[in-house]
Amino acid sequence: MAAVVTCADGERYFVKAVHPDLNPVSPVMYRDEARCAAALPGRVPAPRLRHVHDDGWVALVFEAVDGAPPEVPWRAVDVRRLLGTVELLTAAPVGGDLAALPPVPDRLDESFRAYRRLADGNGLDALSDWERRHLDRLAAAAEDALEFTAGDFLVHLDLRADNIISSRDGDYIVDWSWASAGAPWIDKVCLLVNVATYGGDPEPFLADDRVLAAVPPDHVTAFLAGLSGMWAEAVAQPPPPGIPNLRAFQDLQATAVRAWIRARTGWD
């Protein structure tokens, strides 16, 4: 469940809750989110965690934010504003309780080796003709991304429109289950992946942003290759319990990222 509730004293909170009978992984993710949300420094634009209830059902209680996700397809003004907001996450290296966050390469190690597993013959039917033609290059790039994404800055790692609330007071980033420590450019690329997913051209934003413009192009391409392989492998699997629409969304993202890689590399 997910709802905004009004308490007897008139205070409003956002409450979301999961149970392992619905999806066995979701409670683990909520506990990870609770640990990160409780440790977020004040500079990070995120709703503050107020309470955790955990007795089988895991419920997280946050301060309520009046707002809505950015419109998609993305508007250029919203993309540029959010690229600036993301920089608040990397104002300083992670410290304190956040120092225990897993490194991005550890988070992504298995997922970013998906193309290598597929290249070894474990699911070539899941790939497009273009992916099969360039599978060795894609697999090598995705594995290189595990080195390129290392760093000691706060990374949300799942930044997209539905994990953002835009309000009159500013933009808030929600759903911190995948929080990690890594390179300061990762979340900006994740945001641009979402721009591409909804039909936008991410390259002008990549070129205009001061942080992204300084990132070696092969680092960005390698990260995209890792995402592409991860989603290609996932789409071939049955949907996880209780999340029937996930595979369709992953396929939408994979298609957009493949097109972006192809445009960046010129591989035909």
Side-chain angles (χ1 to χ4, degrees):
M1 62 83 67
V4 174
V5 301
T6 302
C7 296
D9 62 359
E11 291 294 325
R12 299 170 67 251
Y13 299 93
F14 173 72
V15 183
K16 62 180 186 177
V18 291
H19 191 278
D21 286 353
L22 303 176
N23 183 295
V25 176
S26 293
V28 177
M29 295 178 64
Y30 273 35
R31 293 181 184 112
D32 288 344
E33 179 180 1
R35 283 190 291 271
C36 175
L40 288 175
R43 72 173 186 276
V44 174
R48 299 301 147 192
L49 180 69
R50 297 307 186 198
H51 183 68
V52 178
H53 176 82
D54 191 344
D55 66 351
W57 279 95
V58 181
L60 308 184
V61 181
F62 292 90
E63 62 183 12
V65 175
D66 290 322
E71 293 181 12
V72 292
W74 281 85
R75 300 181 303 174
V77 64
D78 292 333
V79 177
R80 293 192 176 95
R81 187 184 71 252
L82 264 300
L83 287 172
T85 300
V86 170
E87 290 195 30
L88 298 174
L89 277 60
T90 56
V94 293
D97 292 339
L98 290 179
L101 287 176
V104 169
D106 290 356
R107 276 273 201 211
L108 299 178
D109 185 75
E110 181 177 358
S111 297
F112 275 28
R113 298 187 191 279
Y115 270 138
R116 184 62 64 196
R117 288 190 293 273
L118 295 169
D120 290 339
N122 298 320
L124 291 176
D125 290 345
L127 300 178
S128 66
D129 290 341
W130 178 81
E131 285 172 299
R132 286 194 288 270
R133 288 199 303 273
H134 301 288
L135 190 49
D136 286 339
R137 286 200 280 191
L138 288 166
E143 290 168 340
D144 286 344
L146 296 172
E147 174 187 350
F148 300 153
T149 55
D152 56 1
F153 294 92
L154 176 62
V155 177
H156 181 277
L157 203 56
D158 195 22
L159 196 63
R160 56 180 194 261
D162 57 325
N163 283 338
I164 298 167
I165 301 173
S166 295
S167 75
R168 286 179 295 182
D169 299 326
D171 297 297
Y172 294 82
I173 300 172
V174 302
D175 291 352
W176 288 85
S177 298
W178 291 97
S180 308
W185 51 267
I186 295 173
D187 281 334
K188 291 194 171 195
V189 175
C190 288
L191 183 68
L192 294 184
V193 166
N194 199 238
V195 170
T197 298
Y198 289 104
D201 181 1
E203 284 294 333
F205 303 107
L206 195 72
D208 292 345
D209 185 86
R210 67 173 187 86
V211 172
L212 292 175
V215 180
D218 62 317
H219 290 202
V220 174
T221 302
F223 182 66
L224 297 176
L227 295 176
S228 179
M230 175 182 73
W231 287 323
E233 185 178 55
V235 166
Q237 306 303 314
I243 316 178
N245 298 320
L246 178 62
R247 298 303 183 220
F249 183 62
Q250 289 173 327
D251 190 39
L252 190 67
Q253 293 178 106
T255 300
V257 168
R258 282 198 305 270
W260 191 6
I261 297 170
R262 192 168 184 172
R264 287 178 63 82
T265 61
W267 298 345
D268 251 336

